[in-house]
């Protein structure tokens, strides 16, 4: 039976990407769309590329009647979902794309986001939304916290390697790059064309918010505290994300471990040994591609992971999680090929 979904924050980039995916989904239909400043507008006026679709008008979240809706995607800024989750109807499931439920510890949430976690009673039952490692939890969950985009890019290779013990948990370096859509659509001086074009900059150096999630999940995978060096960069492209990871370990063992870990994963491709993945080869798809290269430094390995931040880094992954939560085929609506060039 077709599942009815709402998209909260449909006038943002990840919201629009959810609409694009669900428009081609065989088992979902869009019942409601929300916005804040753009409430009352037609989706076609906010996103003319979606003009051909028959979509509900944007309305405020408060105005949505959730009674006939099976699942809501929440593509909102962090800080809004604790209150929503505490008052939402019992039948409703939620995939939250924000950071509000990603951290299992209230102090960590406060430290990284500067806010009190006001729904800690719900937190233990929230699934961490990386299906490749938490599939069963997600299938049973009422709320799933989609991972951060840098986090998905980094964890898809690193969790299997730490679990298997084929890389040393100390001294891991994650050098990451993001396209500008990662910052969302709300106006922001730092993402103006003239600030980004023909440039390249590191940001959040030594203190990016995704470090909290990385610490949490990498430590769980290793069974001991793990802290990685992580530096994100903003690059002048619209979509795309890459993590270039340096670690101590044998490259062949690393490659074998990743091939085995992801052999049944519909959306993770481990390339043949020595091949280098590119962001252009995953754009518009829900795929993560991983390459393993032997470093010239003895006993070190370079692992490169790429995905589309709006797809496997956000909305594609959200639909993958929703498919599991709704008892649908995990791949439904997500098998589109990448766009190239
Ligand atoms: N962009 C990415 O690549 C990416 C990747 C992974 C995770 N995420 C996370 O996904 C969430 C959405 O990101 P985005 O890039 O889509 O952001 P965005 O483009 O800035 O869109 C934000 C959406 O939230 C709505 N909104 C803003 N403030 C609101 C409020 N106080 N009450 C109700 N609605 C409000 C906006 O409505 P108006 O347009 O009407 O103001 C818009 O629809 C964020 O938590 C982000 O961290 C983003």
């Amino acid at each position: 039976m077709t599942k009815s979904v709402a998209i909260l924050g449909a006038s943002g980039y990840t919201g629009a990407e959810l609409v694009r995916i669900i428009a081609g989904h065989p088992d979902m239909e869009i019942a409601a769309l929300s916005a804040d400043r753009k409430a009352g507008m037609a989706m076609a006026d906010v996103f003319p590329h979606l003009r051909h679709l028959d979509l509900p008008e944007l309305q405020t979240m408060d105005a949505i009647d959730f009674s006939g809706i099976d699942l809501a995607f929440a593509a909102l800024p962090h800080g809004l979902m604790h209150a929503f989750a505490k008052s939402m109807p019992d039948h409703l499931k939620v995939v939250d794309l924000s950071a509000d439920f990603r951290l299992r510890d209230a102090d960590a949430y406060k430290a990284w986001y500067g806010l009190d976690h006001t729904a800690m009673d719900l937190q233990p039952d929230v699934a961490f939304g990386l299906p490749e490692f938490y599939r069963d939890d997600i299938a049973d969950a009422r709320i799933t916290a989609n991972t951060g985009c840098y986090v998905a890019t980094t964890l898809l290779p690193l969790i299997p390697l730490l679990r298997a013990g084929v890389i040393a948990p100390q001294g891991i370096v994650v050098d990451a790059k993001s396209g500008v859509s990662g910052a969302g659509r709300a106006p922001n001086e730092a993402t103006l064309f003239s600030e980004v074009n023909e440039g390249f900059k590191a940001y959040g150096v030594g203190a990016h918010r995704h470090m909290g999630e990385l610490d949490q999940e990498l430590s769980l995978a290793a069974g001991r505290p793990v802290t990685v060096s992580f530096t994100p960069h903003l690059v002048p492209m619209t979509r795309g994300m890459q993590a270039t990871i340096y670690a101590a370990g044998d490259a062949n063992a690393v490659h074998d471990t990743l091939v085995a870990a992801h052999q049944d994963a519909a959306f993770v491709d481990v390339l043949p040994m020595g091949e280098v993945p590119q962001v252009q080869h995953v754009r518009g798809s829900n795929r993560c591609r991983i390459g393993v290269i032997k470093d010239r430094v003895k006993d070190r390995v370079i692992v490169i992971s790429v995905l589309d931040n709006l797809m496997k880094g956000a909305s594609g992954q959200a639909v993958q999680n929703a498919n599991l939560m709704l008892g649908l085929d995990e791949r439904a609506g997500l098998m589109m090929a990448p766009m190239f060039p």
Side-chain angles (χ1 to χ4, degrees), residues 97-273:
L97 282 80
S98 85
D100 284 346
F101 284 105
R102 292 178 196 157
L103 295 168
R104 303 172 206 262
D105 179 75
D107 292 338
Y109 181 75
K110 175 93 177 173
W112 288 105
Y113 292 91
L115 298 172
D116 290 322
H117 194 313
T118 55
M120 269 317 276
D121 51 326
L122 300 178
Q123 187 68 51
D125 296 325
V126 173
F128 191 75
L130 202 50
E132 286 72 15
F133 308 115
Y134 291 104
R135 187 167 282 109
D136 294 345
D137 290 354
I138 295 164
D140 288 342
R142 195 165 154 245
I143 302 174
T144 292
N146 236 42
T147 68
C149 43
Y150 282 121
V151 178
T153 319
T154 305
L155 295 185
L156 285 167
L158 279 188
I159 284 183
L161 299 179
L162 287 168
R163 281 185 182 170
V166 292
I167 57 169
Q170 315 87 350
I172 299 171
V173 176
V174 181
D175 178 72
K177 321 282 186 305
S178 175
V180 184
S181 63
R185 201 185 199 200
N188 175 358
E189 216 168 72
T191 56
L192 289 170
F193 178 82
S194 45
E195 310 272 336
V196 175
N197 184 45
E198 295 175 16
F200 182 95
K201 70 171 181 185
Y203 67 102
V205 182
H208 189 278
R209 284 174 165 165
H210 285 181
M211 289 173 180
E213 269 177 84
L214 289 174
D215 291 352
Q216 169 182 289
E217 295 301 314
L218 295 174
S219 300
L220 271 174
R224 50 167 282 181
V226 174
T227 314
V228 299
S229 297
F230 168 71
T231 304
H233 300 77
L234 193 64
V235 297
M237 60 184 177
T238 301
R239 296 171 180 244
M241 181 156 280
Q242 171 165 330
T244 305
I245 301 166
Y246 304 85
D250 174 74
N252 289 315
V254 164
H255 188 257
D256 290 349
T257 302
L258 288 174
V259 168
H262 290 302
Q263 61 182 346
D264 296 325
F267 300 112
V268 184
D269 310 323
V270 181
L271 300 182
M273 183 70 185

Side-chain angles (χ1 to χ4, degrees), residues 9-15 34-39 61 75-78 80 97-99 102 147-149 181-186 309-310 313-314:
S11 54
Y13 282 157
T14 58
S34 93
D36 184 32
R37 295 166 305 157
K38 298 193 175 106
M61 280 164 63
L76 303 166
H78 67 269
L80 298 170
L97 282 80
S98 85
R102 292 178 196 157
T147 68
C149 43
S181 63
R185 201 185 199 200
N309 55 290
L310 290 177

